[in-house]
């Protein structure tokens, strides 16, 4: 006994939080003659029911954090490799750990005026790499959002550096920490948001915020000050290589 073979056509309607479907029976000329079955599936639209924000935001932010962390680790590994190859870092792990006990802020300030050992110079450069300052990669910064707050912090920092007589961001932080000897609390060396009130308030912003340009200037200032003591080691080629990595 032969069976009659029916031809079908499936129609789909995909929405933001639903999927509609319909199966049509076709005749010998592939024309629909009747509906075989139909239905729909309703599912979450991928948004937080309270805020309406996409649930993908958290996943995207977490992914961006992982990528930033991976880039930082790769850059740090590359910097250690080049610092060691150029003689700025010891190969021994125990000697490297000993360098961690040195005050990087003091080294960054001292490097502007006095000759430091190569490993101490390397420690200062390594510290510069840890927090490289803000550099926007947007075509147009959001002056009313986070970028606007950072811009205010950068302006405050530039003003504070001039007022304290510091030549670099590192020297400014060193002076800031040294001044804490006469204060009850040690001032922070990391950026912190502060709330403002009053007629002259610029809104919530940062007490200070370093720009990438400030760190680039400091790297070059330290290099030029120390290169006079190590002309054979601190060559233009090594400078370009380390500057690019940092």
């Amino acid at each position: 006994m032969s069976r009659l073979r029916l031809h079908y056509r499936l129609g789909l309607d995909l929405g933001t939080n639903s999927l509609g479907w319909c199966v049509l029976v076709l005749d010998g000329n592939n024309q629909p003659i009747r509906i075989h079955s139909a239905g729909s599936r309703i599912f979450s639209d991928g948004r937080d029911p309270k805020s309406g924000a996409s649930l993908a935001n958290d996943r995207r932010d977490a992914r961006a954090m992982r990528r930033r962390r991976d880039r930082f680790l790769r850059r740090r590994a590359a910097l250690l490799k080049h610092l060691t190859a150029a003689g700025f870092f010891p190969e021994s792990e125990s000697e490297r750990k000993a360098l961690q006990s040195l005050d990087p802020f003091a080294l960054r300030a001292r490097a502007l005026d006095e000759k430091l050992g190569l490993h101490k110079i390397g420690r200062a450069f390594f510290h510069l790499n840890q927090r490289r300052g803000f550099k926007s990669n947007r075509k147009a910064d959001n002056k009313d959002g986070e970028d606007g707050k950072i811009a205010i912090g950068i302006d405050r920092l530039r003003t504070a550096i001039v007022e304290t007589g510091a030549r670099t961001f590192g020297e400014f932080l060193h002076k800031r920490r040294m001044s804490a000897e006469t204060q009850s609390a040690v001032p922070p060396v990391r950026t912190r948001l502060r709330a403002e009130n009053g007629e002259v308030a610029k809104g919530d912003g940062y007490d200070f915020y370093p720009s990438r340009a400030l760190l680039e200037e400091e790297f070059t200032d330290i290099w030029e000050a120390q290169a006079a003591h190590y002309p054979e080691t601190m060559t233009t080629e090594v400078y370009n290589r380390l500057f690019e990595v940092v």
Side-chain angles (χ1 to χ4, degrees):
M1 179 183 229
S2 63
R3 293 184 177 181
L4 177 63
R5 293 189 61 188
L6 297 179
H7 296 274
Y8 299 94
R9 179 175 297 165
L10 174 65
L12 300 174
D13 178 23
L14 181 61
T16 57
N17 65 331
S18 66
L19 174 65
W21 58 273
C22 180
V23 178
L24 301 173
V25 179
L26 308 180
D27 61 15
N29 296 320
N30 288 326
Q31 296 299 315
I33 54 176
R34 63 185 174 87
I35 295 176
H36 181 275
S37 57
S40 64
R41 293 296 299 272
I42 309 299
F43 47 84
S44 170
D45 63 355
R47 296 182 179 276
D48 187 308
K50 293 183 178 180
S51 66
S54 172
L55 296 177
N57 289 346
D58 292 339
R59 297 194 298 270
R60 183 172 61 248
D61 292 342
R63 185 167 59 249
M65 291 179 63
R66 290 195 301 270
R67 288 175 176 173
R68 285 195 298 269
R69 179 64 177 171
D70 290 342
R71 286 196 297 268
F72 169 76
L73 292 176
R74 289 195 299 269
R75 189 176 68 249
R76 187 176 66 180
L79 181 60
L80 280 173
K81 170 186 172 182
H82 290 300
L83 285 174
T84 304
F88 289 103
F89 244 59
E91 295 185 3
S92 169
E93 189 64 29
S94 59
E95 292 184 71
R96 289 182 178 182
K97 288 184 178 180
L99 286 176
Q100 295 179 5
S101 63
L102 301 178
D103 183 353
F105 300 102
L107 291 177
R108 286 165 62 176
R110 289 170 52 197
L112 300 173
D113 299 309
E114 62 183 84
K115 179 181 178 180
L116 298 182
L118 286 176
H119 291 174
K120 292 182 179 180
I121 299 173
R123 176 72 176 95
F125 288 153
F126 185 83
H127 192 250
L128 282 173
N129 177 70
Q130 299 299 96
R131 301 178 187 88
R132 303 181 304 157
F134 173 77
K135 180 178 181 180
S136 175
N137 58 359
R138 303 181 183 183
K139 293 182 178 179
D141 293 342
N142 180 10
K143 300 302 182 183
D144 297 324
E146 180 65 12
D147 287 352
K149 296 177 182 179
I150 291 176
I152 293 173
I154 291 174
D155 290 341
R156 287 173 176 157
L157 177 57
R158 288 282 188 183
T159 300
I161 288 177
V162 173
E163 291 176 347
T164 58
R167 291 160 292 179
T168 64
F169 177 51
E171 188 177 34
F172 164 76
L173 292 178
H174 180 58
K175 287 176 175 288
R176 183 180 174 91
R177 294 168 78 244
M178 294 299 292
S179 66
E181 296 181 356
T182 59
Q183 301 177 13
S184 58
V186 177
V189 294
R190 294 193 182 187
T191 57
R192 294 288 187 273
L193 278 171
R194 73 178 188 183
E196 296 183 6
N197 299 302
E199 296 180 357
V200 296
K202 296 183 178 180
D204 293 344
Y206 292 93
D207 189 27
F208 66 89
Y209 208 107
S211 65
R212 180 72 54 82
L214 270 178
L215 277 299
E216 292 174 346
E217 293 168 10
E218 181 174 355
F219 183 96
T220 301
D221 289 344
I222 292 176
W223 187 277
E224 291 178 349
Q226 295 298 315
H229 304 294
Y230 303 98
E232 296 182 358
T233 301
M234 303 182 71
T235 63
T236 301
E237 179 183 359
V238 176
Y239 167 84
N240 292 335
R241 186 185 306 124
L242 294 180
F243 186 89
E244 180 181 0
V245 174
V246 175

